[in-house]
């Protein structure tokens, strides 16, 4: 697929890029080059290739799922203006 000059000017207008008619031919060549590379990539047979989620083989370090903070609910509720059971009551605005 190659772009025409009117298409290049439309893309430039949509991207809010000021392209003069003199520059349009150069921009057209650059965009057509990019589209040519994308066509080459699209032509590669990727059947049976597992997708990569990262460029490197990375695994996340996981920590043990343990409680590290003490339960301070009663302390927080003690300074709250109003509280009911396990909830802090707030006024509706």
């Amino acid at each position: 697929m190659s772009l025409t000059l009117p298409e290049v000017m439309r893309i430039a207008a949509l991207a809010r890029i000021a392209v003069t008619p003199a520059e349009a031919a150069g921009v057209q060549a650059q965009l057509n080059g990019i589209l040519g590379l994308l066509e080459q990539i699209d032509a590669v047979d990727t059947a049976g290739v597992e997708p990569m989620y990262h460029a490197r083989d990375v695994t996340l370090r996981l920590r043990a799922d343990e409680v590290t903070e003490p339960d301070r609910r009663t302390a927080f509720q003690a300074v709250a203006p109003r509280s009911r059971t396990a909830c802090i009551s707030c006024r509706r605005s």
Side-chain angles (χ1 to χ4, degrees):
M1 172 186 187
S2 61
L3 297 173
T4 62
L5 283 176
E7 290 172 330
V8 169
M9 296 305 286
R10 173 95 171 120
I11 292 169
L14 290 172
R16 298 180 188 258
I17 299 172
V19 176
T20 64
E23 297 170 329
V27 172
Q28 179 186 22
Q30 290 176 344
L31 289 175
N32 284 334
I34 293 169
L35 290 175
L37 289 174
L38 292 174
E39 287 174 354
Q40 289 177 11
I41 291 171
D42 193 38
V44 175
D45 181 24
T46 57
V49 177
E50 189 176 334
M52 291 177 50
Y53 300 104
H54 198 275
R56 301 180 80 190
D57 193 18
V58 176
T59 56
L60 295 176
R61 293 178 292 179
L62 299 177
R63 61 177 171 80
D65 190 16
E66 300 171 347
V67 176
T68 58
E69 298 293 322
D71 181 14
R72 298 181 52 195
R73 183 186 66 184
T74 54
F76 293 141
Q77 284 185 335
V79 297
R82 290 181 296 172
S83 63
R84 282 185 290 158
T85 59
C87 302
I88 296 175
S89 301
C90 299
R91 282 189 301 188
R92 294 183 185 190
S93 310

